[in-house]
Amino acid sequence: SVSIALAVAQPFNPAHCPEFDGRLFWCASLLRAECADRLAGSADVSHTARTGGLLSLMGLLWLADSLPVETGRALSQAQDVDRVSLNAALQSHSGFGYDEAGYVLAEQWRLPLVLVESIRSQYELGLLKEAGEAPKAVAASAVCARAALGQRELLNQDDAMTAWALGEYSDIAQAYQHA
């Protein structure tokens, strides 16, 4: 995980965006990786899900480096307004979220299709219906990490992604507790 994280982060300089919190970014990325690993259905899928969880926020690194003003505004908005997710704030300020940015980046880097799909489908319920185990685990790990980092109870969240994750994974509460 550390080697992959260092390789992914190397081309970017998120310091261009003063509002970017590197510590929080890596905490969220590692939480997603751990939760995705725990939620993956089989040992064969767990390593792929862990990698997908670790890479699921890489679009945010790219945005902080490439569009620092817009990303800074989105980061500030996501902190100030409790009901606005960072991905939605980024869509509002830059025209696309970190999921879309990460998806484009993963395709350009020619990452394995399962990782590209994991990044792309993390907030798209329509894509998750046809997705494999790893992309589903990554999407559910994003739900767990958002709740844990926001210090909220997972079961009290009322958004569509949380409802999907709770329905898809009977053991998600256990993964959340470990987060």
mmCIF file of all heavy atoms in Angstrom, residues 55-80:
data_model
loop_
_atom_site.group_PDB
_atom_site.id
_atom_site.type_symbol
_atom_site.label_atom_id
_atom_site.label_comp_id
_atom_site.label_asym_id
_atom_site.label_seq_id
_atom_site.Cartn_x
_atom_site.Cartn_y
_atom_site.Cartn_z
ATOM 1 N N LEU A 55 -6.541 3.985 -4.226
ATOM 2 C CA LEU A 55 -6.477 4.879 -5.390
ATOM 3 C C LEU A 55 -7.762 5.672 -5.619
ATOM 4 O O LEU A 55 -7.785 6.559 -6.475
ATOM 5 C CB LEU A 55 -6.173 4.061 -6.652
ATOM 6 C CG LEU A 55 -4.850 3.317 -6.669
ATOM 7 C CD1 LEU A 55 -4.717 2.522 -7.968
ATOM 8 C CD2 LEU A 55 -3.680 4.265 -6.498
ATOM 9 N N SER A 56 -8.808 5.394 -4.863
ATOM 10 C CA SER A 56 -10.109 5.998 -5.146
ATOM 11 C C SER A 56 -10.139 7.514 -5.006
ATOM 12 O O SER A 56 -11.015 8.166 -5.575
ATOM 13 C CB SER A 56 -11.187 5.371 -4.266
ATOM 14 O OG SER A 56 -10.960 5.647 -2.897
ATOM 15 N N LEU A 57 -9.196 8.093 -4.303
ATOM 16 C CA LEU A 57 -9.148 9.550 -4.132
ATOM 17 C C LEU A 57 -8.057 10.219 -4.967
ATOM 18 O O LEU A 57 -7.823 11.414 -4.823
ATOM 19 C CB LEU A 57 -8.926 9.899 -2.652
ATOM 20 C CG LEU A 57 -10.064 9.573 -1.703
ATOM 21 C CD1 LEU A 57 -9.631 9.790 -0.263
ATOM 22 C CD2 LEU A 57 -11.278 10.404 -2.026
ATOM 23 N N MET A 58 -7.396 9.459 -5.845
ATOM 24 C CA MET A 58 -6.260 10.048 -6.564
ATOM 25 C C MET A 58 -6.672 11.221 -7.444
ATOM 26 O O MET A 58 -5.867 12.112 -7.716
ATOM 27 C CB MET A 58 -5.495 9.009 -7.356
ATOM 28 C CG MET A 58 -6.148 8.496 -8.582
ATOM 29 S SD MET A 58 -5.026 7.296 -9.353
ATOM 30 C CE MET A 58 -5.936 6.946 -10.813
ATOM 31 N N GLY A 59 -7.918 11.277 -7.852
ATOM 32 C CA GLY A 59 -8.389 12.424 -8.625
ATOM 33 C C GLY A 59 -8.296 13.716 -7.831
ATOM 34 O O GLY A 59 -8.067 14.784 -8.395
ATOM 35 N N LEU A 60 -8.439 13.628 -6.513
ATOM 36 C CA LEU A 60 -8.312 14.798 -5.663
ATOM 37 C C LEU A 60 -6.876 15.337 -5.678
ATOM 38 O O LEU A 60 -6.671 16.553 -5.692
ATOM 39 C CB LEU A 60 -8.755 14.478 -4.235
ATOM 40 C CG LEU A 60 -8.718 15.624 -3.235
ATOM 41 C CD1 LEU A 60 -9.536 16.816 -3.710
ATOM 42 C CD2 LEU A 60 -9.214 15.136 -1.877
ATOM 43 N N LEU A 61 -5.897 14.453 -5.701
ATOM 44 C CA LEU A 61 -4.492 14.895 -5.819
ATOM 45 C C LEU A 61 -4.287 15.677 -7.110
ATOM 46 O O LEU A 61 -3.648 16.725 -7.121
ATOM 47 C CB LEU A 61 -3.543 13.691 -5.814
ATOM 48 C CG LEU A 61 -3.193 13.057 -4.502
ATOM 49 C CD1 LEU A 61 -2.324 11.829 -4.735
ATOM 50 C CD2 LEU A 61 -2.492 14.036 -3.582
ATOM 51 N N TRP A 62 -4.817 15.133 -8.185
ATOM 52 C CA TRP A 62 -4.670 15.776 -9.488
ATOM 53 C C TRP A 62 -5.355 17.138 -9.492
ATOM 54 O O TRP A 62 -4.797 18.129 -9.974
ATOM 55 C CB TRP A 62 -5.237 14.858 -10.573
ATOM 56 C CG TRP A 62 -5.163 15.401 -11.959
ATOM 57 C CD1 TRP A 62 -4.113 16.043 -12.545
ATOM 58 C CD2 TRP A 62 -6.194 15.350 -12.950
ATOM 59 N NE1 TRP A 62 -4.425 16.383 -13.846
ATOM 60 C CE2 TRP A 62 -5.690 15.962 -14.115
ATOM 61 C CE3 TRP A 62 -7.471 14.819 -12.961
ATOM 62 C CZ2 TRP A 62 -6.437 16.072 -15.274
ATOM 63 C CZ3 TRP A 62 -8.210 14.926 -14.132
ATOM 64 C CH2 TRP A 62 -7.689 15.550 -15.268
ATOM 65 N N LEU A 63 -6.565 17.201 -8.943
ATOM 66 C CA LEU A 63 -7.303 18.466 -8.912
ATOM 67 C C LEU A 63 -6.600 19.505 -8.038
ATOM 68 O O LEU A 63 -6.538 20.682 -8.404
ATOM 69 C CB LEU A 63 -8.732 18.237 -8.431
ATOM 70 C CG LEU A 63 -9.636 17.491 -9.404
ATOM 71 C CD1 LEU A 63 -10.940 17.090 -8.727
ATOM 72 C CD2 LEU A 63 -9.893 18.317 -10.654
ATOM 73 N N ALA A 64 -6.071 19.087 -6.893
ATOM 74 C CA ALA A 64 -5.364 20.027 -6.014
ATOM 75 C C ALA A 64 -4.127 20.589 -6.701
ATOM 76 O O ALA A 64 -3.780 21.759 -6.522
ATOM 77 C CB ALA A 64 -4.987 19.344 -4.706
ATOM 78 N N ASP A 65 -3.490 19.786 -7.520
ATOM 79 C CA ASP A 65 -2.300 20.218 -8.256
ATOM 80 C C ASP A 65 -2.673 21.052 -9.476
ATOM 81 O O ASP A 65 -2.092 22.107 -9.719
ATOM 82 C CB ASP A 65 -1.501 18.988 -8.687
ATOM 83 C CG ASP A 65 -0.229 19.334 -9.453
ATOM 84 O OD1 ASP A 65 0.448 20.317 -9.097
ATOM 85 O OD2 ASP A 65 0.090 18.613 -10.418
ATOM 86 N N SER A 66 -3.672 20.614 -10.242
ATOM 87 C CA SER A 66 -4.005 21.234 -11.525
ATOM 88 C C SER A 66 -5.002 22.391 -11.432
ATOM 89 O O SER A 66 -4.925 23.330 -12.221
ATOM 90 C CB SER A 66 -4.579 20.184 -12.477
ATOM 91 O OG SER A 66 -3.649 19.146 -12.663
ATOM 92 N N LEU A 67 -5.949 22.300 -10.521
ATOM 93 C CA LEU A 67 -6.981 23.330 -10.345
ATOM 94 C C LEU A 67 -7.026 23.731 -8.867
ATOM 95 O O LEU A 67 -8.032 23.508 -8.175
ATOM 96 C CB LEU A 67 -8.348 22.802 -10.792
ATOM 97 C CG LEU A 67 -8.486 22.396 -12.253
ATOM 98 C CD1 LEU A 67 -9.821 21.702 -12.489
ATOM 99 C CD2 LEU A 67 -8.348 23.608 -13.164
ATOM 100 N N PRO A 68 -5.948 24.325 -8.375
ATOM 101 C CA PRO A 68 -5.874 24.583 -6.928
ATOM 102 C C PRO A 68 -6.917 25.573 -6.414
ATOM 103 O O PRO A 68 -7.416 25.402 -5.294
ATOM 104 C CB PRO A 68 -4.455 25.110 -6.725
ATOM 105 C CG PRO A 68 -4.035 25.622 -8.057
ATOM 106 C CD PRO A 68 -4.744 24.768 -9.077
ATOM 107 N N VAL A 69 -7.254 26.586 -7.186
ATOM 108 C CA VAL A 69 -8.236 27.578 -6.716
ATOM 109 C C VAL A 69 -9.613 26.934 -6.590
ATOM 110 O O VAL A 69 -10.283 27.050 -5.551
ATOM 111 C CB VAL A 69 -8.279 28.801 -7.662
ATOM 112 C CG1 VAL A 69 -9.402 29.741 -7.287
ATOM 113 C CG2 VAL A 69 -6.936 29.514 -7.652
ATOM 114 N N GLU A 70 -10.052 26.243 -7.628
ATOM 115 C CA GLU A 70 -11.355 25.589 -7.620
ATOM 116 C C GLU A 70 -11.414 24.503 -6.542
ATOM 117 O O GLU A 70 -12.422 24.364 -5.835
ATOM 118 C CB GLU A 70 -11.662 24.974 -8.993
ATOM 119 C CG GLU A 70 -11.800 25.997 -10.102
ATOM 120 C CD GLU A 70 -10.476 26.390 -10.760
ATOM 121 O OE1 GLU A 70 -9.394 26.087 -10.199
ATOM 122 O OE2 GLU A 70 -10.530 27.017 -11.830
ATOM 123 N N THR A 71 -10.341 23.743 -6.423
ATOM 124 C CA THR A 71 -10.289 22.679 -5.423
ATOM 125 C C THR A 71 -10.322 23.275 -4.021
ATOM 126 O O THR A 71 -11.007 22.762 -3.135
ATOM 127 C CB THR A 71 -9.041 21.803 -5.625
ATOM 128 O OG1 THR A 71 -9.078 21.259 -6.954
ATOM 129 C CG2 THR A 71 -8.980 20.669 -4.628
ATOM 130 N N GLY A 72 -9.596 24.375 -3.829
ATOM 131 C CA GLY A 72 -9.608 25.049 -2.530
ATOM 132 C C GLY A 72 -11.002 25.530 -2.147
ATOM 133 O O GLY A 72 -11.432 25.386 -0.999
ATOM 134 N N ARG A 73 -11.705 26.082 -3.106
ATOM 135 C CA ARG A 73 -13.086 26.535 -2.850
ATOM 136 C C ARG A 73 -13.978 25.355 -2.471
ATOM 137 O O ARG A 73 -14.801 25.442 -1.563
ATOM 138 C CB ARG A 73 -13.645 27.246 -4.073
ATOM 139 C CG ARG A 73 -13.049 28.611 -4.303
ATOM 140 C CD ARG A 73 -13.681 29.289 -5.498
ATOM 141 N NE ARG A 73 -12.983 30.522 -5.802
ATOM 142 C CZ ARG A 73 -12.707 30.956 -7.022
ATOM 143 N NH1 ARG A 73 -13.124 30.258 -8.076
ATOM 144 N NH2 ARG A 73 -12.057 32.082 -7.209
ATOM 145 N N ALA A 74 -13.813 24.256 -3.198
ATOM 146 C CA ALA A 74 -14.620 23.067 -2.913
ATOM 147 C C ALA A 74 -14.291 22.491 -1.538
ATOM 148 O O ALA A 74 -15.198 22.108 -0.789
ATOM 149 C CB ALA A 74 -14.397 22.016 -3.996
ATOM 150 N N LEU A 75 -13.018 22.443 -1.199
ATOM 151 C CA LEU A 75 -12.625 21.946 0.119
ATOM 152 C C LEU A 75 -13.206 22.817 1.226
ATOM 153 O O LEU A 75 -13.718 22.312 2.225
ATOM 154 C CB LEU A 75 -11.098 21.883 0.237
ATOM 155 C CG LEU A 75 -10.424 20.761 -0.552
ATOM 156 C CD1 LEU A 75 -8.926 21.020 -0.698
ATOM 157 C CD2 LEU A 75 -10.667 19.422 0.126
ATOM 158 N N SER A 76 -13.167 24.128 1.045
ATOM 159 C CA SER A 76 -13.736 25.045 2.031
ATOM 160 C C SER A 76 -15.244 24.861 2.134
ATOM 161 O O SER A 76 -15.799 24.837 3.234
ATOM 162 C CB SER A 76 -13.421 26.496 1.668
ATOM 163 O OG SER A 76 -12.036 26.727 1.760
ATOM 164 N N GLN A 77 -15.918 24.735 1.007
ATOM 165 C CA GLN A 77 -17.370 24.555 1.006
ATOM 166 C C GLN A 77 -17.747 23.245 1.700
ATOM 167 O O GLN A 77 -18.700 23.206 2.480
ATOM 168 C CB GLN A 77 -17.925 24.569 -0.407
ATOM 169 C CG GLN A 77 -19.433 24.412 -0.433
ATOM 170 C CD GLN A 77 -20.000 24.357 -1.840
ATOM 171 O OE1 GLN A 77 -19.269 24.287 -2.829
ATOM 172 N NE2 GLN A 77 -21.310 24.378 -1.930
ATOM 173 N N ALA A 78 -17.013 22.182 1.435
ATOM 174 C CA ALA A 78 -17.330 20.885 2.036
ATOM 175 C C ALA A 78 -17.136 20.918 3.548
ATOM 176 O O ALA A 78 -17.835 20.211 4.278
ATOM 177 C CB ALA A 78 -16.482 19.790 1.407
ATOM 178 N N GLN A 79 -16.227 21.749 4.033
ATOM 179 C CA GLN A 79 -16.023 21.877 5.482
ATOM 180 C C GLN A 79 -17.087 22.752 6.117
ATOM 181 O O GLN A 79 -17.509 22.509 7.236
ATOM 182 C CB GLN A 79 -14.649 22.466 5.779
ATOM 183 C CG GLN A 79 -13.517 21.515 5.520
ATOM 184 C CD GLN A 79 -12.165 22.163 5.755
ATOM 185 O OE1 GLN A 79 -12.037 23.378 5.815
ATOM 186 N NE2 GLN A 79 -11.140 21.335 5.866
ATOM 187 N N ASP A 80 -17.498 23.796 5.404
ATOM 188 C CA ASP A 80 -18.437 24.764 5.971
ATOM 189 C C ASP A 80 -19.875 24.291 5.962
ATOM 190 O O ASP A 80 -20.648 24.602 6.849
ATOM 191 C CB ASP A 80 -18.360 26.096 5.206
ATOM 192 C CG ASP A 80 -17.041 26.805 5.425
ATOM 193 O OD1 ASP A 80 -16.346 26.476 6.399
ATOM 194 O OD2 ASP A 80 -16.710 27.681 4.608
#
